[in-house]
Amino acid sequence: MQQGHPRHKQLSKANHEMIKHNGYMFVKKILDGMVKGIVAVGEAYGRAIRNLLNTSDMKPLKDKTKIKDSYIEMHNPKGLIQVATPNFSQ
């Protein structure tokens, strides 16, 4: 007398293998994401250190005096402004 489906053992084994595969792929994706995150943090840290160390090698700006002159001219007009004060003594 037959009990259950004839392919029950095969289907049960395939189901079990699929569950294991899904778990493996889930863990693999998590670990890949963690590795990518660690690599990204390392690259950002490396760039920050390189930028920090390369600041001493930076050349001064050539147009720095022009910027300063235009700022002074903007806030200190060339012409003299004469303000007539009211005379209250009369």
Side-chain angles (χ1 to χ4, degrees):
M1 185 169 194
Q2 181 179 354
Q3 295 181 0
H5 195 275
R7 291 186 55 211
H8 175 72
K9 188 175 182 181
Q10 182 183 5
L11 293 173
S12 175
K13 185 175 181 181
N15 188 27
H16 179 69
E17 288 177 0
M18 197 63 195
I19 290 171
K20 285 176 62 177
H21 173 73
N22 288 342
Y24 168 76
M25 293 306 291
F26 178 72
V27 171
K28 182 179 176 187
K29 287 181 181 180
I30 289 177
L31 290 177
D32 287 344
M34 289 173 65
V35 168
K36 287 179 182 178
I38 291 171
V39 168
V41 168
E43 287 179 0
Y45 181 74
R47 286 181 189 153
I49 294 298
R50 278 194 304 270
N51 290 340
L52 183 66
L53 295 176
N54 289 337
T55 53
S56 60
D57 298 337
M58 289 177 59
K59 298 177 183 176
L61 294 174
K62 294 179 181 178
D63 297 333
K64 188 173 182 182
T65 56
K66 291 181 182 177
I67 293 171
K68 185 177 180 183
D69 290 342
S70 64
Y71 178 80
I72 290 172
E73 289 176 5
M74 186 170 60
H75 291 286
N76 295 329
K78 292 180 181 177
L80 294 174
I81 300 175
Q82 296 179 356
V83 178
T85 57
N87 192 359
F88 295 111
S89 63
Q90 292 177 355

